Amino acid sequence: MKLVWSPEMAAKAFMDTVKSCELYQGSSVTELISAMAAGWNAKLIVETFSHGGVIATSIGLAVASNHTCGRHVCIVPDLETKITYLAAMQKVGMSPEVIIGEPETIVKNLDVIDFLVVDSRANDFARILKAARFGQRGAVLVCKNANSRAGSDFRWRTLFDKDGSRRIVRSVFLPVGGGLDIGHVAASESGSGSSKLQKGRWIRRVDRESGEEFLIRK
């Protein structure tokens, strides 16, 4: 089984996020991320948050998790940030699960992640992506504020393809907000991100209707 796109779920999450974020100007990024998380029917949605971050993104992810009947986890660095974050979320009637600690360590211990959002302005964002555990369904990874890392040597494929355990089948950069860099981790036969893919011949196929790329093992 792999992550399967649902346009209907995405549309519902998009509209509900628009309603929830009426007080936030320029929330188009939030609505897009929410629609993606819901559209992929993500069951475990994880994000990183630091003091002074944009709450609107969390609202969108909370909306998405409600639609997918999933779990929304926010990782924060300290108790003060947790208190501020929860107070802001409770004002809009939402109470996601919040975990204090180092994101790189926490994502290693969470159940397999379907949808992960990190901030490219954080020095450890690439390490967080690499440490995360993904399941057989694959995963969608989102880097916010990607414009901030101009000149960096970050590449999706070099991050995941070195040991053959995980494979990016599609990536795209969207020039919205501060820039969104999105990667789609392929569904695999392994149970976690640390397992090795079995050797064999891999053939790439593209769905003409959705544009989605698949890796098929022969």
Side-chain angles (χ1 to χ4, degrees):
M1 180 181 291
K2 61 183 178 59
L3 291 175
V4 178
W5 178 255
S6 169
E8 295 81 8
M9 191 83 80
K12 291 177 181 177
F14 183 93
M15 294 308 300
D16 284 350
T17 302
V18 170
K19 297 175 184 177
S20 299
C21 293
E22 287 179 347
L23 299 179
Y24 292 88
Q25 295 182 351
S27 61
S28 58
V29 171
T30 295
E31 294 144 5
L32 176 60
I33 292 176
S34 177
M36 284 193 296
W40 287 112
N41 196 27
K43 298 303 182 183
L44 178 54
I45 300 170
V46 179
E47 65 170 322
T48 60
F49 184 87
S50 57
H51 184 70
V54 179
I55 291 292
T57 299
S58 294
I59 295 174
L61 292 176
V63 169
S65 68
N66 288 337
H67 280 281
T68 65
C69 297
R71 179 184 174 196
H72 173 207
V73 176
C74 181
I75 303 171
V76 300
D78 50 52
L79 180 59
E80 180 182 1
T81 303
K82 177 179 179 179
I83 293 172
T84 302
Y85 175 85
L86 284 176
M89 292 296 287
Q90 287 168 1
K91 285 183 179 179
V92 291
M94 298 175 180
S95 54
E97 181 178 348
V98 181
I99 301 177
I100 300 174
E102 293 292 335
E104 185 178 349
T105 301
I106 293 172
V107 295
K108 290 179 181 178
N109 297 317
L110 286 172
D111 294 334
V112 289
I113 297 169
D114 293 322
F115 199 89
L116 175 61
V117 181
V118 299
D119 194 329
S120 295
R121 294 175 298 186
N123 294 330
D124 60 348
F125 84 93
R127 296 197 302 273
I128 297 169
L129 294 172
K130 192 168 185 177
R133 298 178 62 236
F134 309 127
Q136 294 180 340
R137 299 202 310 154
V140 175
L141 315 178
V142 179
C143 296
K144 301 186 300 180
N145 299 306
N147 291 337
S148 66
R149 64 167 190 258
S152 75
D153 59 356
F154 172 81
R155 295 291 185 277
W156 285 110
R157 297 187 185 282
T158 56
L159 183 65
F160 290 114
D161 290 357
K162 288 182 179 179
D163 63 0
S165 63
R166 291 180 292 189
R167 201 174 285 268
I168 292 288
V169 292
R170 183 171 54 178
S171 62
V172 62
F173 174 81
L174 301 178
V176 294
L180 289 180
D181 207 349
I182 303 165
H184 185 186
V185 179
S188 73
E189 297 176 2
S190 62
S192 69
S194 60
S195 300
K196 298 290 184 180
L197 291 175
Q198 297 180 6
K199 293 182 179 180
R201 183 186 177 195
W202 291 86
I203 299 176
R204 177 167 294 178
R205 291 287 184 266
V206 179
D207 187 312
R208 294 184 179 181
E209 294 185 2
S210 67
E212 184 175 0
E213 297 180 21
F214 301 93
L215 289 176
I216 303 172
R217 182 175 179 272
K218 291 292 186 178

